[in-house]
Amino acid sequence: MAVPCFSEPPRIGGTLVWYFSICHREVWFMSHGIEPDREDDFLVMGRLIDENSYRRDRHSVSFGDNRFDIVKVEDGTLVVGEVKKSSRSIDAARLQLAHYLYDLWKDGIIAKGQLLFPKEKRRKEVELTEETRHRLDGVYEEIREIACMAAPPKAVKNRFCSVCAYSDLCWS
Amino acid sequence: MGKTIYIFSAGELKRKENTVVFEGEDGRKFLPVETTDELMIFGEVSLNKRFLEFCTVSHVPLHFFNHHGYYQGSYSPREFLNSGATILAQAACYLDHEKRVDIARRIVCGAMENMAVVLNYYRRRGNESLVSMLSNIESYKGKLDKSDSVAEIMGLEGNGREAYYSAFDHITGGGPFAFDVRSRRPPQNRMNALISFLNSMCYVTALSQIYRTHLDPRIGFLHETNFRRFSLNLDVAEIFKPILVDRIIFSLINKKVIQAKHFEDGPSGGIYLQESGRKIVVSAWEERLQQTIDHPRLKRKVSYRGLMRMEVHKLEKHILGDQTYEPHISGW
Amino acid sequence: MFVIMIYDVGERRVAKMLKIGRKYLNWVQNSVLEGELSEGLLAKLKAEVKQKIDHESDSVIFYTWRSERYTAREVIGIERNEINIIV
């Protein structure tokens, strides 16, 4: 059965950009409101790290369709921080953060990005360049295409399946 | 996956110190809220709104049963998995005659295959009299492909089940558990009382699992959506009734765990399980649900309860146009 | 996994530990709780404990097994709280 297409285009927030780098099927699920089981262990752990790290700087801020983990000012510049469980998918995290910076840039706000890995006690700076802006424009287009597909992209095993909260749905 | 707690005692359910507490005649019992998946309430229990609100935030559904163990209804927390796209696709499948018939046929086919698995299990243990029922089920199953209405499919399901039920006395040896015919509301003999009670446990368990997916339990495919509150759980239960409910019944009877003394006459006719009997059956049911099998695609062990959820996921994928639904057929 | 939690904490925090523990595990006897937990829930329980104890003077110990099957349990004397899914 084809899923009816919605007239409203998908709202592209940070998580959707993140999932785009991980798994296109996940993008389709998310853009159709198909959320994974809340009790999934990986989600429980993720939420926990989210809630318990950097409690001091923590000012979760909503901006458009995004939710920034941390917003602070360092040396007179706005810094947006994104907390991740591990650096296993650092490229995906980098793209997500660049998307935040791009959204801010569109509103005339220049900011810097910081990826934070509390478990590894590491941080990584992210900057917005002309090249990443161009890359993101392409990503948005692809996300819209995925969201308009009549059925989810076929399940393909990748290295994230073993820690993915959708794995019961995909592999049942 | 957390626990299902069955409450048979009389008492009060409360929220206390951010967890669930049951205060009964035998004192106070704390139930860890983080690991409680659902409460099945058989006893005379009182509770208040504050407790229900706590159940909502903790995602703990409550299921209520009456004095005879009949399902009365549920308190389900506000849905937490909600996908408009999935529900529209589910409704569209129901409204499309061919698609609905296809799903109904797949479910009945799976149910019949599992009935055959159960009978074959006992045939392999030397019960050759089951061969004729097996071939009857097989012939009804063969007619499924040619049936093109849900009513016809339902009819074949009824025929298949009748052939299957006629095997029961051959497996249990009849006696105090002779089957005769299927009688409901009220059940007329012990076998019927056992079937009714365990079937309703199976329906409620399926309902709980559906709540943890994106499908709507009100829209079934084999069972008409029109006449009842929930119907998708009845569809899912068809697949599992033979391998869960019926196998438990045979094992309880053949091992003499459940006996005539565990039943009583109802005040207005019918025969029911007594409380002691219900507790025995519920423990056996829970033990079976917690048993695990190796799941070939997920590459991990999955309990029978989990398997029910996987079945709903498979239906969900079928409905979303992702993957054709193939029912779970037991491997033993 | 199967978890046993035991705590030895300052008097003012005894009730707090019990309160936190009871949300996840079954009370067995004074300062001891047990039960089956997923890895995620155990991490959540530990995070709650960490926030409430005095790290200089309190002690909370978690024993874990991959499954209850690898444990044996024998009670001598009385069972203070029988743990059963049928209440």
Side-chain angles (χ1 to χ4, degrees), chain B residues 298-314:
Chain B
L298 277 168
K299 299 205 166 49
R300 63 173 171 87
K301 287 188 182 304
V302 177
S303 68
Y304 276 103
R305 184 179 266 123
L307 217 50
M308 263 197 218
R309 177 141 94 248
M310 298 309 140
E311 207 64 11
V312 188
H313 279 323
K314 288 194 296 192

Side-chain angles (χ1 to χ4, degrees), chain B residues 139-190:
Chain B
S139 81
Y140 292 125
K141 202 182 92 189
K143 289 185 186 146
L144 280 173
D145 279 341
K146 283 171 233 94
S147 56
D148 51 13
S149 75
V150 174
E152 242 177 284
I153 294 169
M154 260 305 206
L156 286 170
E157 196 271 340
N159 297 139
R161 193 161 284 278
E162 216 173 295
Y164 173 66
Y165 278 152
S166 71
F168 276 34
D169 284 349
H170 293 268
I171 296 171
T172 64
F177 289 96
F179 192 118
D180 196 17
V181 289
R182 181 80 179 102
S183 51
R184 306 175 174 85
R185 293 182 182 263
Q188 293 302 328
N189 57 33
R190 299 184 188 104

